[in-house]
Amino acid sequence: MIDRRLFTNIDWMLVGLVIVISMLGIVNIYSATTPYKIIGAPYYVKQFYWMAFGMFIALLICSIDYHILEDFSYWLYFLLVLLLVAVLLVGRRSMGATRWLHLGFFNIQPSELMKIVIIITFARFFNNFHAPGGMTVRDLMFPLGILAVPALLIMKQPDLGTATLVVLIAMSMTFYVGLRWTTIVSFILVTIPTCWLAWSHFLRPYQKNRILDFLNPERSRLGSGYHIIQSKIAVGSGGLFGKGFIKGTQSQLRFLPEQHTDFAFSVFTEEWGFIGALVLIILYLSLVLWGLNIARRCNDRFGSLLAMGVTAMLFWHIVINMGMVIGMFPVVGVPMPFFSYGGTSMITSMVGIGILQNISMRRFMF
Amino acid sequence: MREKRFVREIMEMKHRTMVLSFVVGAIFFVLLLRLWHLQILSGEDYRSMSENNRLRFVPIAASRGTILDRNGTVLVSNRPSFSLAVIPQEVKDKDDLLNKLAALLGLDRAEMADRWDKAKGRAKYYPIVLASNISRDQVEIIEENKMRLPGVEIEMKPVRDYVNGNMGSHLLGYIGEVSEDELNRPGFEEYNPGDYIGKNGIERNWEQELHGSDGGRQLEVDARGRVLRTVSESLPSVGNSVVLTIDSAVQKSAERAFGDQAGAAVAMDVNTGEILAFVSNPGFDPSLFSGKLPADKWKEYLEDKRHPLENKALTGQYPPGSTFKIISALAGLENGAINDSTSVNCTGSYKLGSSTFKCWNKHGHGSTNLKKSLRESCDVYYYALGERLGVDLIAATAKKFLLGTPMGIGLTNEKGGMIPSTEWKLKRFGKRWFHGETLPVAIGQGYVLMTPIQLASMTATVANEGTIYRPHLVKRVVDGDGKPLKEVKPEVIGTTGISADKFRLVKQGLFAVVNEPGGTGAAARLGDVTVAGKTGTSQVVKLRDSKQGTPYQFRDHALFVAFAPYEKPEIAVAVVVEHGEHGASAAAPIAGRIMRAWFDSKKPPKKAAPADSAQDDETDEETPPNGQEERRP
């Protein structure tokens, strides 16, 4: 099934970066969850299982030629849109949002899968798309429609973070294909009223509050403003060298919210300081640049677009999560790939890596 | 050609990866700069914040808005109260602390433990209220023992002050601690356990306006919990005030007029639907509900036969008795079954098939026309009318007054009363309507039920000859500084479509009830203002003969509806005295006193108006009930 030549072409750089980051993540989760009383397997052990399972899935993805994805792309897209509708109709409610679909023995979160599917769908569309001199506004109508349906469905759940990510991923791919200047200008002109519309019609009060809290953290003493302040204290107090492993007072005394998931980076920087953060940032930067490198080296348009999309997905997760933790973005609940605790995030990221690996391995086959 | 272009484009794309790499690098660099700023430049500040200090938030509860009457008189305001709270994060030994608190303050340990457990899952820095409404003595004891009680805080909160005690308790409602269930509902995201919210009446239905938004103080405290400084402070914003349509003078005299009797009264502005008085007697002490209701008081309320916790004006559904003859008469006029000269000979009873229906006056009223039938409340006249009309035509007229459904007064749980029809009976019981069932309906017995709100609305609609206003309790909402925010406009919710001349015929009858010899409503006379009205007595239990010996709960309800002045109606009143037996003697005087209070409160004080307006001026004093008792067989 697997061409022997493929093994010789394994992208060890990619594998190495993912393993190093994931291991750092597990070590960090160990520290972040020390103050928790846990029933059953500890979080870091579970995270290790998720990593192993994710790598297995990535391996499975590598074994199939990614070009097959092109044939299935629109089917996948329709299936996912249906699932998103199903989530709104029959989904399981938790914490005020409906994100999960209960399928008997396991739960799936279609919005998470949509990140991958939008990449495949856009890659398929742009692969057969021809726009000399960059895309015009009219050229954008179709992809915009493809994007709007899932984005609005996800926003309705409501899951502002994932909806934003899906939009950002799609936008990044579009920019990658190329736009005319006039398109960019008109786009900006359209964005402003759209934001206003979203603000007045689609955003839930708590989502508005989060944005307002971000703009003025003092506004909400116990809500997300509190999270931003506490996270900044954690990061800032880390200093140059950090407080040391399992010695972060902010995290050990549980001042931080969600400290093993969305705020894992905050724990890490408190304990390892600027030096630690620098190392992690360099690792992530390498991952993103390597992803772009795979996109550049790939000789078919579909593969290149796919690689670019996956890279954009990883990039935006990293930037938004870091930005959130250090008080540059609102608290939107976006995890750090491979680093935050959580199976869903790990699987999605690993699927992305599988696709990247797939493309990287097959670059010599053309 | 196409291939070539594609190749060119993919080259362009590939070129773009270089640009993107640069952009990515730049963004990561910005993140790194920010980290540098936080960790290296401000690192020391943050380090001291995190090591020596903890940020703590002390919520400052917002004052609830006040509730005012139509003249700006305060009905509900706030006064300070203290509660005992604990910050779990600062407590080492929970059991020990609870024991100490119980011993020092005499508080219920189990209850405190329970409240503590309920707050599980919330942030550890957030204070949990263990006991609310503690005394000043208890506050002092806590202050003295502060060092032994780490993590214990005293919170000062404004609490509700119901200025007039029991007055208007059913209308105003009360507040209580937000329940877990409420916290999970949409619209309650900003609430925390221990917060107070309106549970009933105006307090509940205008919660969003009254609540205000809490503020908080961000304090820097040292490891032992001592406050070092205030980092920031956001002041609470006071809730908006609600201005009611109620006139507190009218409300007060209405409640006084009831005395110990149970019942309800609703007074309404005929031309706007504004409720001027909204009484359910007896009331309760709303302030007891916001604190901890003493068990004995609770028991007392529950065991009181007069049901003080029941809002009779809102949820009481009573057979309207003879007051319903207004509807029957209009139905008769509307459908041509009678006109003002139609007369029926009352011999004291009416035969239909094999059954005999009795008039309250067993000697009979003799020849009776419409006016006399209302004045003396002759039952036989309406039996005959009922037989001629059938139940559905009566029901149709009642529906024109929007009876049988809640009027939308703006309080939760308003009941709708009941207007029976053949269709209803078929649906409800699966049985056809018997002709003999129509006769009791025509005199407001049988299946007919109305709420005091509906009785008042019906009367107002008759008074203004056909316009139905939505009965409402709130005039406007103003902010903490008294600036108007929201004005509640009178809302017409229907018109009867019955012509004015028909209303006038009925109104003449209602005038006669109060003002002519033989009328049953003489007790409602005011002297300087002419009143028109209708008495009613509604049977609670069918008894062979009702003597003085009838137990309280089996006595008939007494009703009276009225409006005034007759010439240019302003106010409509409906009074129900539960088990008061006779509308003429029990309910009419109360209605009179309510109207008296209204006209007095409108007048400049102490400027006796000469009694010249009354056209039928035969009495100079309020006549006592003249023995014209109305009684069902």
Side-chain angles (χ1 to χ4, degrees), chain B residues 28-48:
Chain B
F28 273 77
F29 186 68
V30 170
L31 291 172
L32 212 56
L33 275 184
R34 171 77 176 180
L35 276 168
W36 176 269
H37 177 85
L38 282 175
Q39 299 192 288
I40 311 296
L41 298 183
S42 324
E44 276 312 302
D45 293 346
Y46 282 116
R47 199 174 184 98
S48 66

Side-chain angles (χ1 to χ4, degrees), chain A residues 127 130 176-178 209 218 221-222 226 235-237 239 243 253 255 269 274 278 281 296 298-299 326, chain B residues 5-6 9-10 13-14 16-17 32 34-35 38-39 43 46-47 50 54 57 125-126 190 215 232:
Chain A
N127 186 29
H130 176 61
Y176 183 48
V177 177
N209 277 338
E218 308 296 327
R221 63 211 152 76
L222 300 166
Y226 172 85
V235 175
S237 64
K243 294 175 186 168
L253 294 172
F255 273 89
T269 45
F274 184 73
L278 186 67
I281 287 177
R296 187 180 59 82
C298 180
N299 280 319
I326 60 182
Chain B
R5 271 203 191 145
F6 262 62
E9 278 170 38
I10 199 167
M13 267 168 51
K14 285 182 163 206
R16 236 167 251 139
T17 56
L32 212 56
R34 171 77 176 180
L35 276 168
L38 282 175
Q39 299 192 288
Y46 282 116
R47 199 174 184 98
S50 82
R54 311 277 179 265
F57 297 90
Y125 50 82
Y126 192 83
E190 302 278 306
S232 72

